[in-house]
Amino acid sequence: MPEAALAQLRAQFPALQLKVADTPLVYLDNAATSQKPHCVIDAMVNHWQRHNANVHRASHRLSRFATEAFEEARQTVARFINAPSAAQIVWTRGTTESINLLAYGFTNQLKAGDEVLLTAMEHHANIVPWQLLCERTGAVLNVVPVLGDGRLDMAQFAALLSPRTKVFAVGHASNALGTIHPVQQMVAAAKNVGAITVVDGAQAVAHLTVDVQALDCDFYAFSGHKMFAPSGIGVLYGKAAALAALPPWQGGGEMIEKVSFSGSRFQAPPFRFEAGTPNIEGAIGLAAAIEFINAQPRQQWLAHEQALRQHTYQRLAALPEVTLYGPPADANDVVSLVSITIDGVHGKDMGMLLDQQQVAVRVGHHCAMPLMEQLGINGTLRISFAAYNSLAEADRVVDLIAGFLVDTLADTSAENSADNLV
Ligand code: PMP
């Protein structure tokens, strides 16, 4: 990305201007959550200052403004993922809640002996709700293993699919290794055996252009906060018939058509799944984030993000103590993150050292404990980029890691030579 364009992009994010004791903050934990641009912050403040009211009920002016903005936001989301209609966009708190809503809703559709198919690379949010569903119904959980190159074992995937497979749930991109899975192909295969297909798009939406009709999945879930929007707002997209087949999962105001003590009648989707006062400002913030993304040169962004990953990967690969996980440097089926372990150095220590130098990365299992177990490690140090990161920031984190290793090796060899003297 040209330097001027990057500088202009960075200027829109107040958190990227932060300094601690004159050292600029380097934010490389974007897979956990992204920073927020002024336009998102302003849209929310503007709502609170000028349009704040509850939605869908009152007949007054402010409520009309709030309702219009809230429902327009739903349409903005529908266009963003190419959903046929805004009625197919359910507001949730995030990916986790979207998947829980589904797993709860499928309870009556599954029975003992049925199967739910996941992959070994899933986030806990795309594992635990399905485990609970299996416990409730007696269904069995099957798992597609991961190969040494950080990709899924597609032969095993094909072998695990059968008419018993009732649900297939897969991440669009892995938050731990970055791998972008061949979701379109997997969804088609799962549909062939009659499974309901669920895609966890938490790591995809900020990086890829998502087209739910092209993917042809039944459901697609994502969170606002990983794509420059606030936390506490997320989306569940569903095919119209798939949403219509789901029972309500929380009861309360907004989701009903009629309530009486002899029983209640529920609204059609999406309102059936939105009990209580929703996160109005969150939806407005998410729409502002989408408008922000839509105004960007996304192909240029993607190329820049890939360049950041390749550069970081190649520099880290030159350090003998570093092990890299996930697809290779030149892969294009990967989002912009690098996951490593370092021989003889605890990830937590490295994370702390980087934090002392104002570099933010993530260390640990990344809510993907089963994947870590398959890889035979406790966790990784993850450097995850957004389009607003610079090559200088990538160099800073690698320089700090390399410098730390040189210092540690010097200490160790000094200790060794001291030992030799004794
Ligand atoms: N799935 C993936 C792949 C994720 O990376 C995350 C967030 N780390 C989630 C699900 C859960 O998202 P949230 O916490 O926003 O519900």
Side-chain angles (χ1 to χ4, degrees):
M1 191 182 310
E3 230 167 83
L6 184 60
Q8 206 186 21
L9 176 61
R10 291 179 65 84
Q12 298 184 58
F13 289 82
L16 299 182
Q17 319 311 319
L18 290 174
K19 286 187 178 168
V20 184
D22 278 346
T23 308
L25 181 81
V26 174
Y27 187 76
L28 300 173
D29 193 17
N30 294 284
T33 201
S34 61
Q35 297 301 341
K36 321 300 172 198
H38 280 296
C39 59
V40 168
I41 298 165
D42 293 349
M44 296 175 74
V45 171
N46 184 53
H47 165 75
W48 283 316
Q49 288 180 339
R50 305 183 53 209
H51 299 150
N52 180 52
N54 211 330
V55 290
H56 294 150
R57 345 180 192 249
S59 54
H60 59 81
R61 179 184 169 81
L62 282 190
S63 177
R64 272 198 304 280
F65 282 143
T67 304
E68 261 168 40
F70 183 67
E71 290 306 324
E72 264 170 34
R74 204 189 294 272
Q75 292 187 14
T76 305
V77 169
R79 283 192 295 274
F80 181 63
I81 57 170
N82 194 29
S85 130
Q88 290 166 255
I89 303 299
V90 179
W91 297 119
T92 63
R93 281 195 297 131
T95 312
T96 304
E97 189 170 85
S98 298
I99 298 172
N100 274 280
L101 187 164
L102 290 176
Y104 175 82
F106 295 162
T107 305
N108 291 334
Q109 297 182 39
L110 264 68
K111 56 181 187 323
D114 286 344
E115 293 175 4
V116 174
L117 183 59
L118 308 179
T119 87
M121 250 186 273
E122 299 313 313
H123 186 280
H124 295 167
N126 203 23
I127 299 175
V128 184
W130 304 118
Q131 275 178 331
L132 294 172
L133 172 67
C134 288
E135 278 171 24
R136 285 195 297 276
T137 60
V140 175
L141 202 67
N142 286 330
V143 182
V144 181
V146 57
L147 298 172
D149 63 358
R151 295 180 174 115
L152 293 173
D153 185 334
M154 293 301 282
Q156 274 301 311
F157 168 63
L160 284 166
L161 280 176
S162 84
R164 288 185 304 278
T165 314
K166 297 298 177 217
V167 178
F168 170 59
V170 62
H172 199 160
S174 156
N175 69 311
L177 304 184
T179 319
I180 301 169
H181 305 308
V183 168
Q184 197 167 348
Q185 179 191 340
M186 296 178 97
V187 164
K191 292 186 94 65
N192 258 342
V193 298
I196 303 171
T197 53
V198 179
V199 180
D200 165 359
Q203 291 297 332
V205 276
H207 305 286
L208 310 175
T209 302
V210 174
D211 181 338
V212 288
Q213 293 190 69
L215 290 176
D216 201 27
C217 50
D218 292 307
F219 296 100
Y220 195 95
F222 62 97
S223 305
H225 69 94
K226 293 183 198 283
M227 48 176 288
F228 316 117
S231 46
I233 186 76
V235 169
L236 174 66
Y237 153 82
K239 283 192 174 173
L243 282 175
L246 282 178
W249 83 304
Q250 288 180 340
E254 297 275 327
M255 50 79 74
I256 46 81
E257 226 168 64
K258 182 171 189 295
V259 177
S260 76
F261 282 115
S262 56
S264 301
R265 230 180 22 243
F266 306 115
Q267 293 243 41
F271 304 115
R272 184 193 297 170
F273 308 109
E274 296 177 3
T277 300
N279 182 353
I280 303 162
E281 54 274 17
I284 288 167
L286 176 54
I290 290 173
E291 273 152 22
F292 168 77
I293 291 173
N294 287 343
Q296 307 300 321
R298 285 199 93 186
Q299 284 314 311
Q300 191 185 61
W301 267 30
L302 195 60
H304 174 64
E305 289 179 12
Q306 291 300 343
L308 290 172
R309 176 180 189 269
Q310 253 187 44
H311 179 78
T312 310
Y313 191 107
Q314 278 162 348
R315 281 205 61 201
L316 287 169
L319 304 174
E321 300 85 358
V322 169
T323 306
L324 288 129
Y325 299 86
D330 59 355
N332 51 22
D333 58 342
V334 63
V335 291
S336 191
L337 66 83
V338 179
S339 231
I340 60 168
T341 54
I342 307 169
D343 283 353
V345 181
H346 201 288
K348 276 207 176 113
D349 294 339
M350 185 58 84
M352 253 161 55
L353 175 112
L354 293 173
D355 179 48
Q356 282 160 12
Q357 302 300 319
Q358 318 314 337
V359 176
V361 297
R362 173 74 41 133
V363 179
H365 53 66
H366 316 300
C367 295
M369 277 182 168
L371 172 66
M372 297 300 143
E373 204 179 306
Q374 264 216 17
L375 297 173
I377 52 180
N378 291 328
T380 70
L381 184 153
R382 182 185 71 188
I383 301 162
S384 59
F385 297 104
Y388 48 56
N389 287 122
S390 68
L391 220 49
E393 289 179 316
D395 276 332
R396 174 135 175 85
V397 69
V398 179
D399 287 345
L400 283 168
I401 292 171
F404 179 82
L405 288 175
V406 169
D407 290 350
T408 315
L409 290 181
D411 285 353
T412 321
S413 66
E415 265 168 36
N416 286 348
S417 41
D419 284 349
N420 290 342
L421 288 175
V422 175

